[in-house]
Amino acid sequence: MSIASLRRYLSLASSISRLVKPSLGGNGYAASSTYALQTVGLNVYYGGRKILDNVNLAVPRNTVFAIMGPSGSGKSTLLRVFNRLVELAPNARVEGRVLLFGRNIYDPSVDPMEVRRQVGMVFQNPNPFPHLSIYDNVALGPRLNGLARNGEELDRLVEWALRKAALWDEVRDRLHEPATRLSGGQQQRLCIARAIALKPRVLLMDEPTANLDPESSRRIEQLIVELRDDVTVVVVTHSPGQAARISDHVAFLFSGRIVEVGPTREVFTRPRSELTERFITGALG
Amino acid sequence: MDGRRLLDKLFKATVVALSVAVLLPLFHIVGTIIYEGGRTLLEGGLGFLAGPPPLGIGPALAGSAVLVVLTTLLGVPVAFLTAVLAVEYPESLVGRAAKLLSKSFVEIPTILVGVLMYTLIVVPMGSFSALAGASALAVVILPYVYTYVEEALSSIPRTYREAAFSLGLTRAKALVHVFMGIARRGIATGILIGVAKAAGETAPLLFTIGGGTQTYFRGLGAPIDAVPLLIYQYVQMPSEAYHRTAWGAALVLTLLYLAVFVAVRRAVKEVKY
C-alpha cells in the first residue's frame, strides 16, 4: 500500500469511527444501563496527596444517593469527579473509570462541557450569579447551550424550572430583580432551578442545606425527594440524619475510602462496620 | 490621665497630623490649578478650548483625544487578554510569563518607552507621528490596565467559577457572560486608569509625537500635539502668556479626568454578593 493510499484509508477510518461513536446526548446511552453513575477503581490525587482511594460505587437511576462522612473525608471531591469539575484544580489527577449511564466520562474523546450539561450541580453556599436577575440566573444555561429556540420557549423553560424548584410562586412578580435580594433558602432553590433548567440526567448536591436555617433546610430536603422522579440525585452531607431522611441508598466515606455502601434502611438499621455505627450515632466527628 | 490614655491621644494626634501633611500638598496643587487655570479659562472661553496656540489649546486637545482613543484601542485589548491568560491558565508557561512580564513593565521608565518607539517607529517612518505616540502610551498603560483587570478577575469567589463551569459553559462563554459581569466594576476601573494615564503622561510623547503643531489632526502618520506635552513646553517659555495657557490646559486636563471617572463609576454599578 502506498503512503498516500494508507493516509487516505486512515482518514476514512477515523471519520467512520467519528460517525459511529455514540455521543453523550440522549440516545448515545445504553438504554439497559440501570446505573446512572458507576465508579470503578477510582483514585483521585491532588499533587502527591491521595484524596480518594479505590472508590467503587454504583448509583441506581432515579434514586437519591447520599454520600455521608465527616469533613475532610473526600465527599466534595468525589462529587466533583462526577461532573469533571475536579479538573479545575490544576494539580488534580483522576485514575480509574467513571461511567455515566454506561459511558466512561474520563475517556479522552469525551468533552467535559458535554458531561456538565448532563450532570447539574448545586453548591454548599447558595451562589446565584450576583450580577444577574432571578430570571437570567435560570435562563443563562439554556440560552448559552441553545436549549430554547426563542424567547417564548425560554420563558416556559424558566417557569418550569422555577416551579420544579418550588420557587415560582414567590418570585413570579419579581423575576427581573437581582437574585441576591432573595433570602438564603430562596437563593438555594434558585440554584436548584438554575441546575435543572438544563434538564440534566443527574443532579449533584454538595451539602445543599449546610448554610441554611432549619425551615429552609426542610423545604430543600422535601424538594430533593420530589426531584427523584426527573433526575438521579447524588447528595453529599455530613449529617447522618439528613442521609436517613432523604436517601434511598447511602455510602459512608471516611479518609477517602468507602467504608460501607448500600440501601439506606439497611445501612442505618444493620451497619456492617463499627465505624459506620459510630458515625451514625454521632460518636464520630 | 493615666499613661495609656495619654499614649493613645498622642498616637491619634500624630496620625491626624501626618495625614494632613500628606494631603495638604495635594489640596494645594488642585487649589492652585483651579484658581490659576480658572482665570485663563474664564478669560479665553471657548476660544481657549478650540483655538490655536499660543492663546488656545485646540490642536493639543484634539490631539490628546486622538491619542487616548488610539492608545485604548492598542493597549486595552492586549492588557485585557494578558490578564485573562494569567487568571484562567495560571499554571501554564504563557500565563506565568504574561504575569511576570506585565508586572515588570511598570518598572520601565516611561521615557525609555518613548525612546524605544522613536527607534522602532519614528526613525523608519521618517517622521514623528500619532501612531508612535499611541504605541508608546499603549506600552505604558499596559501594566496598569493588566493589574486592575487581573485583580478584578482573580478576586471572583471560586464558587461562582464552579457554578459557571457546572452549567457546561466553555471558558470563553463563562468569561464573557459570568466573570466579566461579576468583575465589571474592577475591569471598568482598570480601563479608566489606562485612559487617564494615556491622557496625562508626558515622557512617552517627548520623542514620538513631535508636538507644538499649530494644526489639528492630519493623520496617524503625521505629528500631533497633546495637552500634557503642551503644558510641559509652555511652562518653559519665558513669556507670561504661555504660562497662562499652560495653567488653563492643566485645569482642562483635571476636569476631564474627574468627568470621566465620575461618569463611568456611576454608570457601572458594583456587583453585590
Side-chain angles (χ1 to χ4, degrees), chain B residues 11-266:
Chain B
F11 181 72
K12 270 187 195 151
T14 314
V15 170
V16 170
L18 286 176
S19 310
V20 171
V22 169
L23 288 175
L24 216 56
L26 179 69
F27 285 132
H28 179 69
I29 291 171
V30 174
T32 316
I33 289 175
I34 292 174
Y35 176 72
E36 299 281 355
R39 273 171 54 198
T40 312
L41 222 56
L42 286 178
E43 280 167 24
L46 215 61
F48 174 76
L49 291 177
L55 292 176
I57 59 165
L61 202 56
S64 270
V66 170
L67 282 174
V68 165
V69 171
L70 202 56
T71 304
T72 309
L73 289 178
L74 287 174
V76 168
V78 177
F80 185 82
L81 290 175
T82 316
V84 168
L85 266 182
V87 176
E88 290 298 318
Y89 303 96
E91 305 294 314
S92 74
L93 191 66
V94 184
R96 273 186 299 186
K99 200 165 189 157
L100 186 71
L101 281 178
S102 304
K103 295 241 164 169
S104 38
F105 267 30
V106 180
E107 314 293 338
I108 303 176
T110 51
I111 190 143
L112 286 188
V113 179
V115 174
L116 176 76
M117 290 307 163
Y118 177 80
T119 56
L120 282 182
I121 300 179
V122 176
V123 173
M125 283 178 63
S127 157
F128 293 116
S129 66
L131 190 66
S135 304
L137 287 173
V139 174
V140 170
I141 71 166
L142 183 72
Y144 294 94
V145 180
Y146 166 85
T147 305
Y148 272 86
V149 173
E150 193 237 44
E151 186 69 34
L153 286 176
S154 59
S155 65
I156 296 172
R158 203 181 71 142
T159 181
Y160 296 115
R161 304 180 63 81
E162 286 197 320
F165 288 120
S166 80
L167 293 176
L169 305 189
T170 58
R171 271 186 201 273
K173 278 182 179 168
L175 177 73
V176 172
H177 295 278
V178 179
F179 306 153
M180 278 174 69
I182 294 178
R184 61 189 173 202
R185 199 170 164 92
I187 293 172
T189 307
I191 293 172
L192 265 184
I193 298 278
V195 167
K197 258 314 296 142
E201 278 285 320
T202 315
L205 304 178
L206 289 174
F207 303 107
T208 49
I209 61 167
T213 45
Q214 300 281 322
T215 51
Y216 295 87
F217 181 62
R218 283 174 299 157
L220 296 182
I224 199 169
D225 203 7
V227 177
L229 194 63
L230 175 139
I231 295 171
Y232 172 78
Q233 286 165 341
Y234 280 14
V235 290
Q236 298 176 64
M237 297 286 190
S239 131
E240 172 72 16
Y242 284 101
H243 295 176
R244 295 249 56 83
T245 305
W247 275 119
L251 180 60
V252 169
L253 207 56
T254 311
L255 290 179
L256 281 179
Y257 267 12
L258 282 176
V260 173
F261 255 90
V262 171
V264 174
R265 288 190 67 89
R266 281 194 152 219

Side-chain angles (χ1 to χ4, degrees), chain A residues 5-84:
Chain A
S5 65
L6 178 67
R7 206 175 276 151
R8 215 174 313 125
Y9 168 77
L10 284 177
S11 86
L12 185 67
S14 84
S15 55
I16 288 176
S17 81
R18 231 176 289 134
L19 279 177
V20 297
K21 190 178 289 170
S23 85
L24 262 175
N27 300 332
Y29 295 99
S32 61
S33 176
T34 48
Y35 296 115
L37 279 165
Q38 262 177 295
T39 65
V40 184
L42 174 70
N43 295 316
V44 175
Y45 304 84
Y46 282 144
R49 221 152 50 90
K50 197 169 195 179
I51 306 294
L52 292 176
D53 186 2
N54 191 28
V55 170
N56 296 288
L57 279 180
V59 178
R61 56 165 72 192
N62 291 99
T63 58
V64 175
F65 190 100
I67 300 165
M68 61 179 186
S71 30
S73 57
K75 309 184 296 287
S76 292
T77 302
L78 178 56
L79 206 61
R80 282 164 174 73
V81 165
F82 294 145
N83 62 353
R84 293 185 64 169

Side-chain angles (χ1 to χ4, degrees), chain A residues 80 83 85 88 90 113 116-117 119-121 123 125 127-132 137 140-141 144-145 180 194-195 198, chain B residues 90-91 158-171 173-174 177-182 184 271-273:
Chain A
R80 282 164 174 73
N83 62 353
L85 218 54
L88 289 188
M113 312 303 161
R116 292 174 193 148
R117 262 166 253 162
V119 184
M121 186 156 183
F123 298 83
N125 285 306
N127 60 356
F129 296 127
H131 65 300
L132 294 181
N137 260 282
L140 184 75
L144 295 183
N145 286 308
T180 42
R194 178 178 68 188
L198 285 176
Chain B
E91 305 294 314
R158 203 181 71 142
T159 181
Y160 296 115
R161 304 180 63 81
E162 286 197 320
F165 288 120
S166 80
L167 293 176
L169 305 189
T170 58
R171 271 186 201 273
K173 278 182 179 168
H177 295 278
V178 179
F179 306 153
M180 278 174 69
I182 294 178
R184 61 189 173 202
V271 172
K272 290 198 184 72
Y273 296 127

